[in-house]
Amino acid sequence: MTKPPGSSRCLITGAVLDTAGKPVQGATVHLVDGPAPFPDIAALTGSDGGFSFSVPVEGVYTVGCRAPDDTVSQVSAQATAGEPARVEFHVGGT
């Protein structure tokens, strides 16, 4: 049985890594845009560079990241109720 779009909360997870593939702790990850209104949602990465947060409805979200060195980037994530959307940010370096 398929749930109607937006019928349950979805999860966006991921990691912030440096250019060598090592985890970046203390990066701020936040929602920039989404398919419906949402509250301010942000997370700080842990020692493993990981983060996760739930979003209110299914759809495409723009997720932003600011690393401790002020590197900024954005990616898109397709959130669905059945499976977490996973994104990775690669920051720092030249």
Side-chain angles (χ1 to χ4, degrees):
M1 182 171 169
T2 304
K3 293 180 181 181
S7 65
S8 63
R9 296 184 73 79
C10 307
L11 188 66
I12 297 176
T13 67
V16 179
L17 307 170
D18 67 15
T19 55
K22 294 180 182 174
V24 175
Q25 182 175 0
T28 303
V29 182
H30 62 281
L31 289 180
V32 175
D33 195 19
F38 53 85
D40 287 339
I41 297 175
L44 282 177
T45 57
S47 60
D48 63 351
F51 66 90
S52 70
F53 43 76
S54 63
V55 292
V57 298
E58 293 182 329
V60 176
Y61 288 84
T62 302
V63 184
C65 172
R66 179 177 295 277
D69 69 355
D70 284 333
T71 301
V72 244
S73 59
Q74 293 183 351
V75 297
S76 292
Q78 174 67 50
T80 59
E83 185 175 329
R86 175 139 177 98
V87 297
E88 273 190 6
F89 291 95
H90 295 272
V91 298
T94 53

